[in-house]
Amino acid sequence: MASSHTQPGPQLTPSGRAPRGSACLNCRRRKLRCDGGRPICTQCIRTHREADCEYTDGTNLSLTQILEENIATLEARIYELEHPELVSPPVILYNPVESPMSTPTGPPGAASSSIGIQSAAPLNISAPIPTQLSGAQVPLLYNEPGVQPAPEIMPMVIEFFLLHSSQVGFFLHKPRFVHLIRQQDPQSRNSRVSSALVNAVYLWGVRFSGDAGLLQHEQSFLSRAVQALSDDLANVQAHNVTFLIQAEVLLATYFLAQGRFLEGRYHCSAAVALALSCKLNRIRSANSPALRAEWVHTTSFDIPAPADAVEEGERINAFWMVYVLHKSWSVGLGSPSQINDENGAQIDTPWPLDVEQYEQDGLSGNFRSSRTMQMFLNNTAPYGAVHGTSTVALRVQAVALFDRATHLASIWSPTMSNIERFWTDVVAFDTVVNQFISSLLPLEAAGDADTTRYLLLTHTFAWASLIQIYSPFRGMEGLSQAQDLTAARAVVVALDKVNLFDFVQIDPIFSILWTAVCRVLIGELWRMHLLSYSGLLLEWLAYAHAGAARLRDLHTSERQLNAALQQVLTAMIAFSEKSILMANQVEKVRQEMTAIGLQ
């Protein structure tokens, strides 16, 4: 039976083992006798672990090796931060697509509107990373200002969190989570829910409350969440891995919202490592023989089968929330992506449902999925196929378009060898984006504030993908003009359809997206300024009456653009008190406006 699945491996030793160094990673880890069969050895077939059968003697790295390299890189960075006297100066972040120095012909930052953290001066990121994937013990890095709030206060803190949890990446089933976290006995509660997750929830809860008395405990909960996560990662198998991923997502979002990018990126990378190590990207995969059963043990953490459809749904949504967090901020911070749908890490997991939907019906027992993201981006599957229309799924798809646009813009060069293929890809991508946008529910049709926030973010991501891909080509002959400006105006129109006062909290990624919109508008205002006072226009005014009408039109357009810019800036200011990152981006936009005489 095994011979039908495997090919002869290396010549075996007399004991039946493969030669030293040629056994698969799974057999090495489990100390089993491996025959080196390719592509899957006999031991892995016999124990139903086909998905774990990987070899390290080929030209391509295995998924396990990739994850180990990522961990090694993170640990090396930790060492640098703990021993600054032995390493080079701290990390400096610039806009990934342009120099931080402004050009003589335009205002600082207005030359390109591509999305990314930008600063007129280098941004010094040197804060310590608070934990390690290896789970090694580290001291608390934050001062605790006081003791924990009284126990009777904590249910209120949880309520504050649940009101706005969807804005910070919470993907668990709320009723079940509330039942677990509200257990009175701490030992009973901590045996079911990771202590790191409990404290991360408290951290965001006091943050959302805005109450001065509760906010004094913010650093205390941060310290406890970070320390608990370090302890929990030291023994992953003793915990619900989905809860650990949720804790990493909440902490990553917290640090990013505070502008602490190094720590945010670290916790985001840790969430990615956990999700891929558990193969949450292969749930219900049609491409792996090991997943033909309803659920089997296929991971290095050996997580048990889900107890029911809701738990399976939490795992599906965990992967996609990690995808959204990682892809969004990889673009925003100009860092490389770790989820590339290749090198053995292809995405077969089905589109997520709103987590309550898993309770109603979930996925049928024989359902299988394949190349979910690839088919969407290549437009090779009917739109919305296989439950791809939930609010969560639409957000995932919008982020995927955002990431794809960034990739296409990054590979562009006037001297590239296959330029025809590049433009074919751009046209195809434009078709997918516009098809996606036209299918979205209008903002005014959203039924409640939470749905409106989700929908606003989805619309904004989709339009931002067009800003990202077309900004580098502004003014290029033969290309439809100002498509990035059209997209920026669409974001302003979307803002005009919602009442921002209904939103107590928003996703911190808005700070990056709205800044990109402002840069498009500032760039267009600068272009009009130059045109209004150019020698060509003065000559036109001297010889043609039509020139005066054209000048009036330019001034009208300037006023409209100014009003649009002020509208986006007002939205950013409204949330700057609750997000240091938003406040920082407001200051950058104001500096760029001052550079062209708008303030």
PDB file of all heavy atoms in Angstrom, residues 187 242 264 387 444 473 570:
ATOM      1  N   GLN A 187      -8.011  29.631  39.357  1.00  0.00           N
ATOM      2  CA  GLN A 187      -7.339  28.419  38.921  1.00  0.00           C
ATOM      3  C   GLN A 187      -8.142  27.711  37.838  1.00  0.00           C
ATOM      4  O   GLN A 187      -7.597  27.251  36.834  1.00  0.00           O
ATOM      5  CB  GLN A 187      -7.097  27.483  40.101  1.00  0.00           C
ATOM      6  CG  GLN A 187      -6.051  27.999  41.091  1.00  0.00           C
ATOM      7  CD  GLN A 187      -5.749  26.977  42.166  1.00  0.00           C
ATOM      8  OE1 GLN A 187      -6.515  26.032  42.382  1.00  0.00           O
ATOM      9  NE2 GLN A 187      -4.626  27.158  42.864  1.00  0.00           N
ATOM     10  N   THR A 242      -5.141  28.412  19.928  1.00  0.00           N
ATOM     11  CA  THR A 242      -5.960  29.489  19.380  1.00  0.00           C
ATOM     12  C   THR A 242      -6.013  30.663  20.344  1.00  0.00           C
ATOM     13  O   THR A 242      -5.979  31.828  19.932  1.00  0.00           O
ATOM     14  CB  THR A 242      -7.388  28.987  19.100  1.00  0.00           C
ATOM     15  OG1 THR A 242      -7.332  27.778  18.344  1.00  0.00           O
ATOM     16  CG2 THR A 242      -8.182  30.024  18.322  1.00  0.00           C
ATOM     17  N   GLY A 264       5.288  45.715  18.114  1.00  0.00           N
ATOM     18  CA  GLY A 264       4.111  45.277  17.374  1.00  0.00           C
ATOM     19  C   GLY A 264       4.453  44.271  16.297  1.00  0.00           C
ATOM     20  O   GLY A 264       3.759  43.259  16.125  1.00  0.00           O
ATOM     21  N   HIS A 387     -18.812  30.721   0.709  1.00  0.00           N
ATOM     22  CA  HIS A 387     -18.981  31.560   1.893  1.00  0.00           C
ATOM     23  C   HIS A 387     -18.017  32.735   1.926  1.00  0.00           C
ATOM     24  O   HIS A 387     -17.582  33.141   3.000  1.00  0.00           O
ATOM     25  CB  HIS A 387     -18.820  30.732   3.177  1.00  0.00           C
ATOM     26  CG  HIS A 387     -19.718  29.536   3.240  1.00  0.00           C
ATOM     27  ND1 HIS A 387     -21.087  29.645   3.377  1.00  0.00           N
ATOM     28  CD2 HIS A 387     -19.451  28.208   3.174  1.00  0.00           C
ATOM     29  CE1 HIS A 387     -21.612  28.426   3.411  1.00  0.00           C
ATOM     30  NE2 HIS A 387     -20.650  27.549   3.287  1.00  0.00           N
ATOM     31  N   GLU A 444     -24.331  53.331   3.506  1.00  0.00           N
ATOM     32  CA  GLU A 444     -25.579  53.792   4.099  1.00  0.00           C
ATOM     33  C   GLU A 444     -26.548  52.637   4.367  1.00  0.00           C
ATOM     34  O   GLU A 444     -27.550  52.818   5.074  1.00  0.00           O
ATOM     35  CB  GLU A 444     -26.257  54.838   3.211  1.00  0.00           C
ATOM     36  CG  GLU A 444     -26.476  54.399   1.782  1.00  0.00           C
ATOM     37  CD  GLU A 444     -25.318  54.727   0.855  1.00  0.00           C
ATOM     38  OE1 GLU A 444     -24.175  54.799   1.353  1.00  0.00           O
ATOM     39  OE2 GLU A 444     -25.566  54.930  -0.340  1.00  0.00           O
ATOM     40  N   PHE A 473       2.576  55.899 -11.245  1.00  0.00           N
ATOM     41  CA  PHE A 473       2.471  56.108 -12.693  1.00  0.00           C
ATOM     42  C   PHE A 473       1.768  57.413 -13.049  1.00  0.00           C
ATOM     43  O   PHE A 473       1.386  57.617 -14.188  1.00  0.00           O
ATOM     44  CB  PHE A 473       1.713  54.939 -13.332  1.00  0.00           C
ATOM     45  CG  PHE A 473       2.218  53.595 -12.898  1.00  0.00           C
ATOM     46  CD1 PHE A 473       1.356  52.653 -12.352  1.00  0.00           C
ATOM     47  CD2 PHE A 473       3.559  53.275 -13.003  1.00  0.00           C
ATOM     48  CE1 PHE A 473       1.818  51.413 -11.935  1.00  0.00           C
ATOM     49  CE2 PHE A 473       4.031  52.036 -12.587  1.00  0.00           C
ATOM     50  CZ  PHE A 473       3.168  51.111 -12.061  1.00  0.00           C
ATOM     51  N   THR A 570      -9.775  65.986   9.759  1.00  0.00           N
ATOM     52  CA  THR A 570     -10.688  66.078  10.903  1.00  0.00           C
ATOM     53  C   THR A 570     -10.996  64.690  11.464  1.00  0.00           C
ATOM     54  O   THR A 570     -11.064  64.495  12.690  1.00  0.00           O
ATOM     55  CB  THR A 570     -11.996  66.778  10.490  1.00  0.00           C
ATOM     56  OG1 THR A 570     -11.699  68.107  10.052  1.00  0.00           O
ATOM     57  CG2 THR A 570     -12.971  66.839  11.648  1.00  0.00           C
TER      58      THR A 570
END
